Amino acid sequence: MNTKSEAIVLHTLRYGDSRLIVDMFTREHGRLSFAVPAPRSSRSKLKKQYFQPLTLLHIEADVRPTQQLHRLKDASLLTPLPSLLADAQKLAIGLFIAEFLYHALRQEQCNVPLFDYVRSSIEWLDSRRDRYANFHLVFLMHLSRFLGFFPNLTLPMSKEQLVTSNDGCPQGKKDDAGCYFDLRAATFCAAPPLHRDYLLPEEAARISTMMRMDYATMHLFRLSRQQRNRILDIIEQYYRLHLPSLPELRSLPVLRELF
């Protein structure tokens, strides 16, 4: 079936001397893999630069549900990303995000809100001159919403911790002091769960604060390298619990060193 779609390049692998295998996340069909003739010159119809990680493309392709590799007929840039490729720190973030999405979206079907979130995030990063050191943290925290395991930020209630309104109805706990956070269940709890995948109250108390971060306000949250890397450790552990197939990411050590 001939189709046109917007697409985000996730990964490119050279296959022999004459072909590339390009994995993309498309707006219309979700995750797809394409067999692409390797560009041999600047005059090639499909340019080499089109297949860099996180490149945003308009594509025309022959997509057949029974095939694993589809035929890419044409491609053009959807949005140029000059800053993302020229800035070493942004490039490191981009390579990490692309590698993460390559593994996290292996079975992802059409998911327009997810596609739009990833695309707008990439464009935001490219447009920024500074104040983006927390970008990868915010991106991953909010990505979980589209993948189905966004943390439940409702606080647990107990007899000692209930807040009662004037009419006597329980309103919930005032704050998250003393709560644990169960990484498997993705929720706060009043007592530690019967497994090791949880955060102690001191770190659990930061979850609500972390989830309030967005691209517009994240520069207001001043984090040291140690704090930023600890948050990244927690996010990585959280994703591994919910995406067991997630492997060790080769781009992660570079990101830790830079930020």
Side-chain angles (χ1 to χ4, degrees), residues 237-255:
Q237 182 184 3
Y238 182 71
Y239 268 93
R240 289 191 188 284
L241 290 169
H242 295 274
L243 296 174
S245 62
L246 190 68
E248 293 293 330
L249 302 179
R250 293 180 295 176
S251 57
L252 193 55
V254 177
L255 203 65

Side-chain angles (χ1 to χ4, degrees), residues 16-37:
D17 295 329
S18 59
R19 288 204 299 174
L20 304 174
I21 304 300
V22 184
D23 289 282
M24 301 187 193
F25 183 53
T26 70
R27 196 170 194 270
E28 303 298 330
H29 301 281
R31 174 73 173 264
L32 293 175
S33 298
F34 296 93
V36 180

